[in-house]
């Protein structure tokens, strides 16, 4: 599932492929990924427009143009690709945007849980993103501590609550808490300042490495590299990892290393 680092990677694809390019044509092969806009209107509003520099907030990607903006949310399986028009179109390529240099931006998405919205102007973009907290990558320590102060519920639920801070999903939250040696079910209000500082520091390190890799890397030294093993063990202490569920998602942690 695309989290902040994946979407940052898609931002790079978008920037290299489309920034400064004019839209020659838009082909919607499956309108199931359009949110609040018809295929006909998307095409009409975008043709002839020139794309600006894309930017990301949390897991959302915004592509401005000299007309409306596109706001992308990749759901569970979405991705952006830059292709030449002669490259074979795959079954899950839902929207093809042909650019004035002949290249094609393709939105591929198997499950179609989210997709693309059209925002008339900057104010419309802001309204679409209004329910999101600050971007996790931009969050300095003092602001992080202020966000967590007085927060109810467990630390993992807090980290993945997009209205509190935007960008972290299931894999990142587990990885960060394993690095910080904090159990995912610990109530936020029971955490000391030192523990919250460790969580913030781990978040910064995990995000930097993941953004460089374009995803949460499944290296053997990372929890993410072990969690899907048949009998997963902690990369730090070698003991079996524990697993449970948080808000419907699988949570993995080490009983020995995390307290
Ligand atoms: Zn351990």
């Amino acid at each position: 599932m695309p989290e902040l680092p994946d979407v940052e990677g898609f931002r790079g694809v978008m920037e290299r492929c489309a920034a400064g390019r004019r839209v020659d044509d838009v082909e919607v092969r499956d309108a199931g990924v359009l949110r609040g806009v018809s295929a006909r209107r998307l095409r009409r509003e975008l043709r002839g427009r020139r794309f600006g520099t894309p930017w990301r907030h949390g897991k959302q990607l915004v592509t401005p143009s000299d007309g409306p903006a596109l706001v992308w949310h990749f759901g569970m399986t979405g991705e952006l690709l830059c292709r030449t028009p002669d490259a074979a179109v795959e079954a899950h390529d839902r929207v093809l945007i042909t650019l004035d240099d002949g290249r094609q931006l393709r939105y591929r998405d198997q499950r179609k849980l989210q997709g693309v919205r059209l925002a008339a102007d900057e104010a419309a973009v802001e309204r679409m993103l209004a329910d999101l907290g600050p971007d996790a990558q931009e969050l300095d320590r003092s602001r992080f501590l202020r966000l967590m102060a007085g927060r109810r519920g467990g630390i993992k639920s807090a980290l993945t609550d997009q209205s509190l801070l935007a960008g972290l999903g299931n894999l990142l939250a587990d990885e960060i808490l394993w690095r910080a040696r904090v159990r995912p079910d610990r109530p936020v209000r029971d955490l000391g300042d030192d523990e919250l500082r460790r969580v913030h520091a781990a978040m910064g390190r995990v995000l930097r490495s993941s953004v460089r890799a374009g995803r949460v890397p499944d290296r053997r030294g990372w929890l993410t590299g072990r969690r899907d093993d048949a009998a997963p063990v902690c990369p730090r202490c070698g003991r079996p990892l524990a697993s449970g569920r948080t808000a419907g998602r699988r949570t993995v942690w080490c009983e020995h290393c995390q307290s």
Side-chain angles (χ1 to χ4, degrees), residues 110-154:
Q110 185 188 347
R111 291 182 60 186
K112 304 185 282 183
L113 294 179
Q114 299 281 340
V116 63
R117 290 181 287 175
L118 190 70
D121 52 25
E122 237 173 85
V125 172
E126 281 187 17
R127 281 195 300 277
M128 286 181 187
L129 305 184
D131 293 340
L132 298 175
D135 185 79
Q137 210 180 12
E138 308 284 315
L139 204 52
D140 65 22
R141 188 169 74 189
S142 60
R143 192 159 181 209
F144 178 77
L145 294 175
R146 282 202 304 278
L147 282 180
M148 293 296 162
R151 167 90 193 176
R152 290 172 177 278

Side-chain angles (χ1 to χ4, degrees), residues 44-92:
R44 190 180 65 226
E45 300 259 357
L46 277 187
R47 280 182 75 184
R49 297 297 189 182
R50 195 173 289 280
F51 283 133
T53 304
W55 52 277
R56 183 190 56 71
H57 187 98
K59 304 181 201 176
Q60 312 259 350
L61 178 66
V62 180
T63 314
S65 79
D66 53 2
L70 296 174
V71 180
W72 308 84
H73 187 314
F74 299 88
M76 292 290 281
T77 51
E79 56 181 322
L80 275 177
L81 305 101
C82 187
R83 291 283 187 264
T84 54
D86 56 340
V89 176
E90 298 198 4
H92 300 135

Side-chain angles (χ1 to χ4, degrees), residues 26-219:
V26 178
E27 183 189 347
V28 176
R29 298 173 63 87
D30 186 337
V33 297
L34 305 184
R35 295 286 175 273
V37 61
S38 66
R40 175 193 288 228
R41 185 165 146 243
L42 186 74
R43 183 163 186 262
R44 190 180 65 226
E45 300 259 357
L46 277 187
R47 280 182 75 184
R49 297 297 189 182
R50 195 173 289 280
F51 283 133
T53 304
W55 52 277
R56 183 190 56 71
H57 187 98
K59 304 181 201 176
Q60 312 259 350
L61 178 66
V62 180
T63 314
S65 79
D66 53 2
L70 296 174
V71 180
W72 308 84
H73 187 314
F74 299 88
M76 292 290 281
T77 51
E79 56 181 322
L80 275 177
L81 305 101
C82 187
R83 291 283 187 264
T84 54
D86 56 340
V89 176
E90 298 198 4
H92 300 135
D93 290 345
R94 312 296 186 184
V95 180
L96 314 180
I97 301 177
T98 306
L99 304 161
D100 60 355
D101 65 350
R103 284 190 298 179
Q104 211 169 53
L105 196 63
R106 295 184 181 176
Y107 179 66
R108 181 175 296 173
D109 192 349
Q110 185 188 347
R111 291 182 60 186
K112 304 185 282 183
L113 294 179
Q114 299 281 340
V116 63
R117 290 181 287 175
L118 190 70
D121 52 25
E122 237 173 85
V125 172
E126 281 187 17
R127 281 195 300 277
M128 286 181 187
L129 305 184
D131 293 340
L132 298 175
D135 185 79
Q137 210 180 12
E138 308 284 315
L139 204 52
D140 65 22
R141 188 169 74 189
S142 60
R143 192 159 181 209
F144 178 77
L145 294 175
R146 282 202 304 278
L147 282 180
M148 293 296 162
R151 167 90 193 176
R152 290 172 177 278
I155 181 69
K156 181 177 179 184
S157 305
L159 291 180
T160 54
D161 179 349
Q162 304 300 301
S163 67
L164 189 69
L165 71 169
L168 306 184
N170 200 47
L171 289 183
L172 280 172
D174 283 1
E175 188 70 47
I176 289 164
L177 292 170
W178 176 75
R179 297 276 183 112
R181 298 174 179 251
V182 170
R183 282 177 62 106
D185 60 352
R186 283 279 300 283
V188 176
R189 59 181 165 191
D190 291 354
L191 293 176
D193 253 17
D194 55 329
E195 290 172 306
L196 285 172
R197 282 162 197 252
R198 289 209 308 268
V199 172
H200 180 262
M203 180 173 82
R205 285 197 302 272
V206 167
L207 283 176
R208 275 192 296 279
S209 299
S210 300
V211 164
R212 268 200 300 275
R215 65 199 179 104
V216 191
D218 55 357
R219 296 177 192 137

Side-chain angles (χ1 to χ4, degrees), residues 178 233-241 253-258:
W178 176 75
V233 298
C234 172
R236 190 189 284 126
C237 72
R239 291 176 173 85
L241 289 167
W253 73 96
C254 176
E255 287 280 355
H256 178 72
C257 296
Q258 291 168 255

